[in-house]
Amino acid sequence: MNAADGAVIDRRDDGPEEQPDVVETMTGFAWALRAAGVNAGRERLTTCLTALEHVDPVDPEAVYWTCRVSFCSEPDDQARFDAVFGRWFLEADPEDPEPASAGDAPIDRLAARRPPGAPGDRQEVVEEDPSSATEAADVEVLRHRDVALLADAERDEINRMIALLAPRVGRRRTLRRARGGRERLDVGRTVRAMLGTGGEPVRLVRDHRRDKPRRLVLLIDVSGSMAPYADVVLRFAHAAARVSPATEVFTLGTHLTRVTRQLRLRDPDHALSAAGAAIPDWSGGTRLGETLRAFLDRWGQRGLARRAVVVIASDGWERGDAALLGEQMARLARLAHRVVWINPHRGKAGFAPATAGMVAALPSIDDLVAGHSVAALTHVAEVIARA
């Protein structure tokens, strides 16, 4: 008899397996929220842990609203919170990279993550809604479907999923230093402080290296061969530009076009419309070598690509000189912190990087990843984050 038939599930029969600690569980949940773009810092985590002491940890609705009130401060945070909450507590293990759909209602699986010794070791009836299970299965199938084969209604759902992504890179240390920390004694400030104490080193002043967000640069091929995927990758770039001001977006075709300002617009549809109006060579030819050289000459060599994570989205069909593309890719690799290449055909059976452009660029690529589905773009966001 399954849960949908009203079977009684006794969690006391689970054996002597130790339940996870609530602090460890919520700390991991806060990290997952931060990766999704929610500002789940230490203060909000402390607030959430304090609030959870006053609710029943096996009451999923109470835990859901306690965490949501503690972590969400902006309207955009709510959809991301629901997606991470579903992945973390409801439909998958925390290590599972597949997110649950946003807006899932809390269910009793939260009880499996209650702190040790928490009240509520009792028999409970868990009922499963068949329509909800079917909807979740449909969403999971849609996440892995090639976006070039989608119907219009399915594409709307895919666009909503991509808007919930939060592709961002970490931070990098700079040469500038700031007061505080315990890294190094600041001799100059210490000596100046001694002037007011009669030459006695009453207080040693220390400093530390500052850090700043690492820049993310996306170069997106909008030629005719990339037409089925360019819109989706631009939406991915819009999600990245929304969560980090250190994101720059360019399109490649027969011309190089900077669309960062257009993709800063809040609404994805408005941003894509503005970008489309600014791109003069949409669905045109492909001259990756020439446009990449133009990017490096005008932007990359002057600092935009230095120590940045550069993501190129293209199928590698080069109409120009493939040798020029190889030279410019090697030049880019010397400037960038990491080079990631998204090929929408990478995730398909029988794929081989055999086009002239891919063969020329391959030696300078750090990560060659797929980009044909939402699941593939989710993996791209993880690759970017690890970089």
Side-chain angles (χ1 to χ4, degrees):
M1 190 175 187
N2 57 31
D5 298 326
V8 176
I9 299 176
D10 189 353
R11 290 192 173 87
R12 295 176 297 181
D13 294 336
D14 292 343
E17 182 180 355
E18 183 180 357
Q19 296 290 352
D21 182 77
V22 65
V23 176
E24 294 180 0
T25 300
M26 295 309 300
T27 301
F29 179 54
W31 275 101
L33 287 174
R34 291 179 63 182
V38 179
N39 184 18
R42 181 182 302 175
E43 294 183 359
R44 295 188 182 183
L45 174 60
T46 303
T47 300
C48 183
L49 289 171
T50 303
L52 286 174
E53 295 177 358
H54 301 282
V55 301
D56 184 355
V58 296
D59 182 353
E61 186 173 359
V63 173
Y64 170 82
W65 286 109
T66 301
C67 294
R68 177 166 167 169
V69 170
S70 301
F71 288 116
C72 295
S73 60
E74 299 181 3
D76 288 348
D77 290 344
Q78 297 176 8
R80 294 168 183 163
F81 174 87
D82 288 344
V84 176
F85 189 89
R87 179 174 73 246
W88 192 261
F89 291 112
L90 306 180
E91 294 183 1
D93 293 331
E95 291 81 2
D96 187 355
E98 307 296 341
S101 59
D104 288 333
I107 59 175
D108 284 340
R109 188 177 170 190
L110 277 173
R113 299 185 181 274
R114 62 181 181 276
D121 287 333
R122 60 181 183 269
Q123 293 184 341
E124 299 179 4
V125 176
V126 181
E127 296 185 358
E128 181 181 353
D129 184 358
S131 62
S132 299
T134 301
E135 181 179 354
D138 292 342
V139 170
E140 185 62 22
V141 170
L142 194 59
R143 291 185 68 256
H144 293 271
R145 185 170 297 172
D146 191 325
V147 297
L149 307 176
L150 296 176
D152 291 341
E154 294 174 328
R155 189 171 294 275
D156 292 340
E157 180 65 17
I158 288 292
N159 292 341
R160 187 189 66 81
M161 293 181 187
I162 295 175
L164 295 177
L165 296 178
R168 68 171 76 199
V169 293
R171 303 178 69 85
R172 67 175 183 88
R173 304 188 78 181
T174 68
L175 297 178
R176 295 179 179 271
R177 308 191 72 89
R179 295 184 63 176
R182 304 186 61 83
E183 290 184 7
R184 190 188 71 170
L185 177 66
D186 190 334
V187 178
R189 287 194 175 98
T190 300
V191 172
R192 285 193 294 272
M194 292 169 55
L195 297 177
T197 58
E200 295 293 332
V202 176
R203 183 171 62 91
L204 299 180
V205 181
R206 297 184 179 274
D207 61 11
H208 67 281
R209 292 263 299 271
R210 292 181 179 177
D211 60 7
K212 61 185 296 186
R214 189 178 296 278
R215 185 178 288 108
L216 175 63
V217 180
L218 296 107
L219 306 174
I220 302 172
D221 184 352
V222 294
S223 62
S225 60
M226 280 288 292
Y229 303 98
D231 178 84
V232 172
V233 179
L234 277 171
R235 288 181 181 273
F236 178 83
H238 173 261
R242 284 282 311 280
V243 299
S244 174
T247 301
E248 292 285 345
V249 186
F250 296 81
T251 61
L252 310 176
T254 56
H255 298 82
L256 174 72
T257 306
R258 188 184 187 187
V259 293
T260 305
R261 180 175 58 83
Q262 289 80 2
L263 294 184
R264 297 283 185 207
L265 297 177
R266 189 177 188 86
D267 184 81
D269 293 327
H270 292 165
L272 266 292
S273 297
I279 299 172
D281 53 347
W282 186 276
S283 295
T286 311
R287 297 193 177 275
L288 295 176
E290 295 178 11
T291 52
L292 185 57
R293 180 173 60 184
F295 165 74
L296 292 172
D297 289 344
R298 184 176 180 183
W299 305 98
Q301 194 75 40
R302 298 182 179 181
L304 204 61
R306 293 184 183 274
R307 296 180 295 276
V309 176
V310 180
V311 180
I312 301 175
S314 176
D315 55 5
W317 285 99
E318 173 62 293
R319 301 291 185 182
D321 186 0
L324 175 62
L325 175 60
E327 294 172 2
Q328 299 307 311
M329 285 296 299
R331 183 181 169 194
L332 174 63
R334 291 192 293 268
L335 291 172
H337 174 69
R338 198 164 188 86
V339 177
V340 180
W341 189 293
I342 302 175
N343 190 318
H345 305 298
R346 173 69 173 82
K348 302 177 183 179
F351 168 80
T355 62
M358 289 305 307
V359 171
L362 202 57
S364 304
I365 297 173
D366 295 304
D367 298 286
L368 178 60
V369 294
H372 65 295
S373 66
V374 173
L377 292 176
T378 303
H379 175 64
V380 173
E382 295 171 357
V383 171
I384 293 173
R386 289 197 300 267

